[in-house]
Amino acid sequence: MFQPDLLAGKRILVTGGGTGLGKAMTTRFLELGASAVICGRRPDVLDGTRAELAATYGDRIAAEQCDIRDPDAVAAMMDRIWATAPLDGLVNNAAGNFLARFETLSPRAMDTVINIVLHGSGYVTLDAGKRWIAEGRPASVLSIVTTYSWTGSAYVVPSAMGKAGVLAMTQSLAVEWGPKGIRLNAIAPGPFPTEGAWERLVPNAELAKRFETGNPLGRVGKPEELNNLAAFLMADGSGFINGEVVTIDAGNWLKGAGQFSMFEDLTDAEWEEMKARGR
Ligand code: HXC
Ligand code: NAP
């Protein structure tokens, strides 16, 4: 889909790049010529992914253990990254989430998710941005949000609060930092099955099927479809896109929003009857 050197010369940090969609995007960035740094809390997971990718991409892949909820740990990670070479891009992908009724949560449960999603993404963006601005270096930030960043969603309320904030950060900084050569965009994915998300968010096989196929295209997203969108948005060729959120969900949220979407199972006979009635 792209020239093989689309991202050559770019160094991109992917938070939560050791697993799931972060790992998939990192792999695609490397394939397109970028260097990448992944970060996360679990050193064994990070090292496994780093070693797997290094077998193909050598020293273009690096890993940093970091809990992004801790701003000092973020600053220390950035010092170590910059000591090798500056970043040109950041993907705010790390997240925490679980399915629960809001009234059952403890304050700490709510904080835990918001601290990862909102504060964590904010700390990493803030630290990288200070360095880019001081150096006059152009850069690109991509945040992985959700469609419930703007619709909200029952049963994942702290995540919805956090993701809405990350979208607000994206839109706000796109204006504030655009003049400094830093663009910020977001991607809102629909269902892309990963172990991390499905084990926390999908209660059983019956609901999994509805969750995965209840969209207009009747299927889940393929990681490469997300990877290509992320690579496009990180590339210089999309340099006039700033402050945008691109939805990649097969029309899932629009189906949920449309008042008449529920009539998809009407039979031909029922449609004929409606036609006759309407005349
Ligand atoms: C209610 C819960 C809970 C649950 C934890 N808590 N899990 N409360 N229901 N399922 C509460 C705990 O009781 C505790 O509160 C507080 O939250 C902190 O829990 P810890 O286990 O100490 O937290 P921690 O080890 O920091 O782990 C963070 C985490 C965990 C968010 C709870 O799930 C995690 O590490 N997640 C990272 C990966 C992840 O979530 N991936 C999915 C992203 S998918 P008390 O008061 O008891 O101390 C996503 C996609 C959305 O975002 C869209 C899909 C289509
Ligand atoms: P995942 O595999 O669970 O990814 C989450 C990653 O975040 C993990 O690698 C985790 O690593 C890291 N992380 C969590 N807390 C962290 C912290 N405090 N500091 C640093 N890293 C942390 O889930 P995923 O499905 O790939 O999700 C990736 C992104 O896509 C998330 O932003 C999610 O909201 C978004 N998304 C996913 C879907 C979907 O269908 N999968 C849909 C919409 C949006 P450690 O645990 O080792 O720290």
Side-chain angles (χ1 to χ4, degrees):
M1 185 164 174
F2 298 122
Q3 293 177 1
D5 61 349
L6 184 80
L7 299 175
K10 292 200 183 299
R11 192 168 195 230
I12 301 169
L13 170 63
V14 181
T15 67
T19 65
L21 303 183
K23 179 180 174 183
M25 287 185 283
T26 301
T27 307
R28 185 66 171 136
F29 295 160
L30 291 165
E31 192 178 73
L32 292 168
S35 299
V37 185
I38 54 174
C39 78
R41 293 166 300 176
R42 291 167 296 168
D44 51 330
V45 170
L46 283 174
D47 205 50
T49 298
R50 189 204 54 75
E52 184 187 324
L53 295 177
T56 306
Y57 302 107
D59 62 5
R60 283 199 282 128
I61 177 71
E64 291 284 346
Q65 197 219 335
C66 178
D67 186 332
I68 60 167
R69 290 173 288 192
D70 176 350
D72 293 334
V74 168
M77 170 178 71
M78 292 300 200
D79 283 344
R80 293 193 297 275
I81 291 173
W82 248 262
T84 314
L87 293 173
D88 307 284
L90 161 66
V91 180
N92 286 314
N93 165 81
N97 203 353
F98 46 71
L99 197 69
R101 291 163 298 168
F102 191 62
E103 70 274 19
T104 67
L105 298 183
S106 67
R108 186 163 176 267
M110 190 180 92
D111 289 350
T112 297
V113 171
I114 294 174
N115 284 344
I116 302 171
V117 176
L118 179 58
H119 294 274
S121 303
Y123 297 147
V124 182
T125 305
L126 178 62
D127 193 292
K130 283 180 177 174
R131 292 169 200 256
W132 288 326
I133 290 165
E135 293 169 10
R137 174 176 288 276
S140 176
V141 178
L142 182 61
S143 294
I144 310 303
V145 296
T146 59
T147 56
Y148 60 67
S149 301
W150 58 90
T151 63
S153 177
Y155 310 122
V156 285
V157 175
S159 171
M161 294 162 78
K163 293 288 190 183
V166 173
L167 182 56
M169 176 181 78
T170 300
Q171 293 167 323
S172 306
L173 286 178
V175 174
E176 192 173 327
W177 287 358
K180 300 176 192 302
I182 302 169
R183 353 182 243 130
L184 293 96
N185 292 294
I187 293 177
F192 284 77
T194 62
E195 199 183 318
W198 260 232
E199 75 184 3
R200 292 177 174 89
L201 298 172
V202 184
N204 57 51
E206 162 59 20
L207 288 173
K209 192 161 174 246
R210 281 167 61 185
F211 195 69
E212 290 165 3
T213 60
N215 62 64
L217 299 186
R219 66 168 175 89
V220 295
K222 299 174 192 164
E224 60 266 30
E225 292 169 330
L226 176 74
N227 299 345
N228 283 331
L229 176 59
F232 172 79
L233 289 170
M234 292 307 281
D236 293 337
S238 69
F240 206 51
I241 302 178
N242 187 28
E244 190 55 83
V245 53
V246 182
T247 300
I248 177 166
D249 77 338
N252 199 1
W253 87 268
L254 289 170
K255 180 176 175 182
Q259 256 185 308
F260 291 88
S261 303
M262 69 182 77
F263 297 154
E264 65 186 334
D265 293 331
L266 284 190
T267 62
D268 286 348
E270 285 167 321
W271 282 117
E272 283 308 316
E273 190 196 323
M274 285 310 298
K275 191 173 166 187
R277 252 204 270 168
R279 286 192 166 160

